[in-house]
Amino acid sequence: MENKQNLTFSRRSFLKTSALASGGMLIGFNLFNACKAEVKPPIDLSQLNYNDFNAYIKISPEGKVTIFSPNPEIGQGVKTSMPMLIAEELDVLWEDVFVVQGKLDTKNYNRQIAGGSGSIRASWKPLRETGATAKQMLINAAAAKWGISPSECSAKAGLITNDDGDTMGYGDVVLEAAALDVPENVTLKDPKDFTIIGKGKLNVDVDKIITGKPLFGLDYKEEGMLYASIIRPPAFGQILESFDATQAKALPGVVDVITVGSKIRDYENNGKQNWTLVTSNSDKVVVIAKSTWDAFKGIKAIKTTWKVDTKLESTKDHDKVLVDLLDGDKFETRRSDGDVKKALSNADKVIERTYEAPFLPHNTLEPMNFFAHVTNEKVRLIGNMQTPAAAAKMVSEVLERPIEEVSAEITRMGGGFGRRLYNDFVMEAAEIADVIRKPIKMVSSREADMTTGVYRPCVKYRFTASIKNGKLTGYHLKGAGVNASIPTPMANYFPAGAIKNYQVDAATYKSNITTGAWRAPVTHFLASAEQSFFNVLAEELQIDHVQLYLDLLENLKGVNDKRMKFNPKRMEDVIKLVVDKSHWGKTEPHVYQGFSAYFSHNTHVAEVAEIVLENGLPVVKKVTCAIDCGIVVNPLGALNQAKGGVIDGVGHAMYADFSIKNGKPQSNNFNTYQLIRMAQTPKVDVHFVQNNIAPTGLGEPTLPPVGGAIANAIYQATGARLTKQPYMANLKIAEELKV
């Protein structure tokens, strides 16, 4: 008789087993399970009965605590670090805390946004006050039960103790505490007393992630749900003329083929466009199917005809128009100190360089997708949004429904980098659901995601500096970008105020190619260009690059300029730290170093890149990074964020390229668009400045400086000045020109 067994595999285990079909991995998997069979799982906190305390906290009679994390999680770690802030001041054991993703709640939560590296910075005090307030209310309730003053009680690790040594758990008084008046003033802990903040904590979702539990937008499904895939214009500037869906409708699994786009266009044409709107003048063909695979097959079976609506632009067009802008005089001056023109005309020497970077897609690991269900009574939105409040508002206006009828639930995101700030995919899903009146999951293929998305703007920066009597006397930055310019704050970043004659100008070319925020907006390339140029200036002045930076910071001592965004002393500290930790100028033979430092998202970062030449080509071996981001809430998560930013910056500066031809992106998947490979990943050595200053941003600030550090190291190794990214594609040209 055949012996049958029921085997249960997680998604991750299945992928691992399928990858090695020889059977060896399957045996290993079963042995692993066998070894763990007698291990009892920890208490399942999610199955306990909880009493609501406030919008952030629930406490069970057993003293276990559920903390709701309000902000979207895109891998930046806020689902772990934000609850840590509450738990610290609530004074509970971290192992007794269960974390749940909060829904959109504009009444109780502030700034439910993932963007700008601002979640912890904005929540540092409010979330701690939430925890401290709850703790005081619990103490007050216990004191009332004992008939004593709250001043005679203290709380620690979820336990309230009075001066006589009597104890009471949080769960014993949670119902009474929740009914008390909310204290107006509470005392927050001194950082020296922290027991959770500053201690490395594992990602609260790590077990679910590695075992393939449903967390991400793509994982979400419910009974009766259908899938949708969209045909958008293949080139920017085209609109749909006609289509034939006969073959698609005949495919098994395809339910219907419809068009959408009119509601979003009406919304835009009625003047309600805002910064998160990304659309086109074209209708879009949508395949409704029983599975993602069926929808993708239906897409391929549809015959479409497109016509030109606006100009079909190419990268070569953008190159010319941006150069023309730099050469022209149609600029908006963002800051002007002294007299730059006079400084340049009186100079002993004028140095000028132009730096350029291409469009870049976001290429999140999880392509755009979203769930929507529209009925006569309500609109349900579920998925991966970086700006859920904006998404709900836009959908309510697009569908002309009261905002009270729109609910939004946030899932974990497989990457965002700014792409999911733009709610075009949310509105598309909502419009589809409004037409078919069934629950729908819109899913984009990798190719559709890469070729019909939102891109980092291509940009050119021209730096001009004057030298007189061996001193830097003038500095002029002109920036020209496609659908982008230099925002005002960047004009007040370094070296603003350090050079007497200083000017920043910006110009923009309006294009039909959709562009938007990309990890560390603007600064991602501006930092590389600036610090590459400062390396040129240091050589002309015959001083070390680090010393030039420190000299300019010295000029700022005693300067009271409220426009200045960075802190000279904190920048000086990170520079000195990275110099020490990288052994600046003391490397082994054939190891070449490059320095860069930059301020962004309220954080000061300095980096030193080390490269070697292998077969004549530069290889980034190590990046030493010094960071002042204030108090580090979760050192383990912070380390991951810092390293991830550096590696992302290395990969895009070295390899990433993206061009447009006749309105059509020339790369549609990773076979033609190169992200950094594992073998190309350098060692990243991270050091944090220790202080008790409130936290600042960390998800983005380590990316901007690394491009400049690499370019400067490559110059030391090859003598080639790289002014265009990606570096590897332009290295040969630079070497030949020896610029």
Side-chain angles (χ1 to χ4, degrees):
M1 181 176 178
E2 184 180 0
N3 183 23
K4 295 184 178 179
Q5 289 183 314
N6 293 322
L7 299 177
T8 301
F9 294 91
S10 72
R11 179 175 61 201
R12 303 276 176 166
S13 301
F14 174 77
L15 291 173
K16 183 169 65 176
T17 305
S18 301
L20 294 177
S22 63
M25 185 61 75
L26 181 61
I27 294 171
F29 175 81
N30 288 335
L31 285 174
F32 178 79
N33 272 2
C35 292
K36 298 291 183 181
E38 300 303 317
V39 177
K40 294 183 179 180
I43 184 171
D44 186 352
L45 301 177
S46 65
Q47 298 304 310
L48 299 177
N49 293 317
Y50 287 87
N51 297 307
D52 290 353
F53 197 88
N54 59 34
Y56 293 91
I57 302 169
K58 290 185 178 182
I59 301 176
S60 76
E62 296 85 357
K64 306 299 180 182
V65 180
T66 290
I67 297 179
F68 290 85
S69 182
N71 282 28
E73 173 60 63
I74 51 176
Q76 80 280 42
V78 294
K79 192 175 177 183
T80 303
S81 54
M82 293 180 82
M84 287 174 67
L85 302 181
I86 297 174
E88 179 65 72
E89 298 290 349
L90 183 60
D91 240 322
V92 293
L93 296 173
W94 184 247
E95 51 265 35
D96 290 340
V97 172
F98 179 65
V99 177
V100 174
Q101 177 65 62
K103 298 179 181 180
L104 175 64
D105 184 348
T106 56
K107 179 181 178 181
N108 291 298
Y109 299 143
N110 294 320
R111 197 189 180 277
Q112 279 187 279
I113 295 172
S117 295
S119 295
I120 294 297
R121 177 159 50 95
S123 302
W124 171 245
K125 189 176 180 181
L127 291 189
R128 290 174 62 208
E129 288 177 339
T130 295
T133 300
K135 182 176 76 170
Q136 187 60 53
M137 292 168 72
L138 290 162
I139 289 174
N140 293 348
K145 275 194 169 185
W146 280 320
I148 60 177
S149 169
S151 63
E152 298 176 56
C153 305
S154 61
K156 187 175 182 181
L159 203 63
I160 303 165
T161 305
N162 64 28
D163 290 346
D164 293 330
D166 301 322
T167 62
M168 200 177 294
Y170 284 180
D172 298 328
V173 293
V174 62
L175 288 177
E176 295 90 339
L180 296 178
D181 291 336
V182 179
E184 292 186 5
N185 297 301
V186 292
T187 301
L188 300 180
K189 285 185 179 181
D190 188 295
K192 67 179 177 57
D193 298 323
F194 287 160
T195 60
I196 294 176
I197 294 173
K199 307 297 188 295
K201 304 298 180 184
L202 286 175
N203 187 315
V204 294
D205 285 335
V206 66
D207 290 336
K208 293 179 180 179
I209 291 171
I210 64 177
T211 57
K213 297 293 192 303
L215 281 170
F216 299 89
L218 273 173
D219 295 326
Y220 184 80
K221 61 179 64 175
E222 60 182 54
E223 190 71 28
M225 184 180 81
L226 295 173
Y227 294 81
S229 189
I230 302 174
I231 301 178
R232 304 175 183 86
F236 291 94
Q238 289 183 330
I239 61 174
L240 181 68
E241 185 172 49
S242 63
F243 70 97
D244 182 352
T246 304
Q247 294 182 22
K249 289 182 177 180
L251 292 174
V254 172
V255 176
D256 200 359
V257 177
I258 64 173
T259 60
V260 297
S262 60
K263 287 183 179 293
I264 299 175
R265 284 200 308 279
D266 289 344
Y267 171 77
E268 181 179 20
N269 293 333
N270 286 335
K272 294 183 178 180
Q273 180 177 0
N274 65 36
W275 74 279
T276 62
L277 184 60
V278 181
T279 185
S280 73
N281 293 324
S282 180
D283 282 340
K284 301 161 188 175
V285 182
V286 183
V287 174
I288 310 296
K290 295 179 180 179
S291 71
T292 302
W293 181 244
D294 290 329
F296 286 176
K297 286 195 296 183
I299 288 290
K300 293 180 179 179
I302 293 177
K303 299 175 182 178
T304 54
T305 303
W306 307 89
K307 63 181 180 180
V308 176
D309 179 50
T310 56
K311 181 182 178 182
L312 302 180
E313 301 175 4
S314 299
T315 293
K316 63 180 182 180
D317 302 322
H318 300 139
D319 284 340
K320 183 179 185 306
V321 73
L322 294 185
V323 169
D324 289 344
L325 283 173
L326 290 176
D327 291 340
D329 57 5
K330 295 181 180 179
F331 282 86
E332 178 186 344
T333 297
R334 300 300 178 86
R335 175 164 172 160
S336 180
D337 300 342
D339 191 333
V340 167
K341 288 184 178 180
K342 185 177 180 180
L344 293 174
S345 64
N346 293 336
D348 296 331
K349 192 168 188 178
V350 174
I351 312 298
E352 185 173 282
R353 293 287 188 278
T354 299
Y355 298 84
E356 52 191 306
F359 288 107
L360 287 183
H362 293 81
N363 280 340
T364 58
L365 183 62
E366 179 188 15
M368 298 304 106
N369 66 91
F370 205 78
F371 172 90
H373 188 195
V374 177
T375 65
N376 290 337
E377 292 76 31
K378 60 185 177 180
V379 178
R380 294 172 56 227
L381 307 174
I382 302 174
N384 31 39
M385 304 163 281
Q386 287 187 242
T387 54
K393 181 176 184 293
M394 292 168 70
V395 168
S396 75
E397 293 177 345
V398 167
L399 300 186
E400 298 181 329
R401 300 284 293 266
I403 188 65
E404 294 77 18
E405 293 180 4
V406 181
S407 66
E409 297 181 34
I410 309 162
T411 63
R412 192 179 182 95
M413 289 170 256
F417 310 118
R419 175 60 181 95
R420 288 185 161 96
L421 292 170
Y422 303 94
N423 292 311
D424 51 303
F425 57 96
V426 179
M427 290 189 294
E428 287 175 340
E431 188 173 2
I432 295 167
D434 190 48
V435 172
I436 69 172
R437 291 300 172 114
K438 292 181 180 179
I440 188 77
K441 168 73 74 65
M442 186 285 294
V443 182
S444 290
S445 66
R446 172 64 62 193
E447 290 80 5
D449 197 41
M450 191 180 291
T451 58
T452 61
V454 180
Y455 307 105
R456 181 186 85 169
C458 65
V459 66
K460 295 184 191 293
Y461 294 115
R462 179 172 293 167
F463 296 83
T464 308
S466 58
I467 296 174
K468 180 75 172 180
N469 298 325
K471 300 291 184 181
L472 187 59
T473 59
Y475 182 92
H476 190 191
L477 165 60
K478 297 171 74 173
V482 171
N483 293 341
S485 59
I486 307 169
T488 301
M490 282 64 174
N492 296 308
Y493 286 7
F494 180 87
I499 302 172
K500 182 178 179 181
N501 304 295
Y502 172 88
Q503 185 168 323
V504 175
D505 296 326
T508 299
Y509 169 71
K510 296 297 183 182
S511 168
N512 57 25
I513 296 172
T514 51
T515 61
W518 189 92
R519 191 174 190 175
V522 181
T523 64
H524 48 233
F525 179 64
L526 178 56
S528 295
E530 174 201 277
Q531 286 302 295
S532 295
F533 183 62
F534 268 88
N535 193 258
V536 174
L537 296 179
E539 185 176 57
E540 291 288 343
L541 293 167
Q542 298 182 352
I543 60 174
D544 183 72
H545 185 169
V546 171
Q547 191 58 53
L548 174 59
Y549 209 124
L550 293 175
D551 289 347
L552 289 170
L553 290 176
E554 187 71 22
N555 293 344
L556 291 166
K557 288 188 176 179
V559 173
N560 184 20
D561 186 343
K562 293 183 179 180
R563 297 172 296 173
M564 190 167 64
K565 303 299 181 182
F566 62 99
N567 184 298
K569 179 61 170 63
R570 296 178 75 175
M571 183 60 82
E572 180 181 338
D573 288 344
V574 295
I575 290 173
K576 290 181 176 179
L577 181 59
V578 84
V579 164
D580 175 52
K581 297 300 183 180
S582 68
H583 306 292
W584 174 252
K586 302 173 184 176
T587 59
E588 297 177 0
H590 309 300
V591 176
Y592 305 93
Q593 291 182 315
F595 165 82
S596 179
Y598 205 74
F599 166 88
S600 66
H601 299 90
N602 286 45
T603 292
H604 302 77
V605 179
E607 295 176 357
V608 171
E610 294 182 5
I611 72 159
V612 297
L613 296 178
E614 294 181 1
N615 299 319
L617 295 176
V619 176
V620 183
K621 286 294 188 180
K622 182 181 178 181
V623 177
T624 304
C625 180
I627 307 167
D628 182 352
C629 60
I631 293 173
V632 178
V633 175
N634 182 4
L636 182 59
L639 189 65
N640 292 336
Q641 281 296 293
K643 289 186 175 184
V646 170
I647 292 169
D648 197 18
V650 171
H652 284 95
M654 291 287 282
Y655 310 111
D657 202 359
F658 196 76
S659 61
I660 308 288
K661 186 175 182 179
N662 294 326
K664 187 173 183 179
Q666 295 302 286
S667 296
N668 66 5
N669 214 315
F670 298 127
N671 61 322
T672 54
Y673 180 84
Q674 185 179 347
L675 291 174
I676 192 169
R677 310 307 199 232
M678 288 293 290
Q680 296 164 332
T681 302
K683 176 183 178 182
V684 182
D685 189 15
V686 177
H687 303 273
F688 292 98
V689 173
Q690 301 299 315
N691 58 40
N692 287 330
I693 301 172
T696 53
L698 191 56
E700 295 165 282
T702 63
L703 186 149
V706 74
I710 293 170
N712 296 334
I714 290 175
Y715 173 68
Q716 294 299 318
T718 67
R721 288 287 186 191
L722 295 174
T723 60
K724 185 177 182 178
Q725 290 186 356
Y727 295 147
M728 293 304 288
N730 294 285
L731 179 60
K732 184 176 180 181
I733 297 172
E735 284 182 323
E736 290 173 351
L737 296 175
K738 291 295 182 184
V739 295

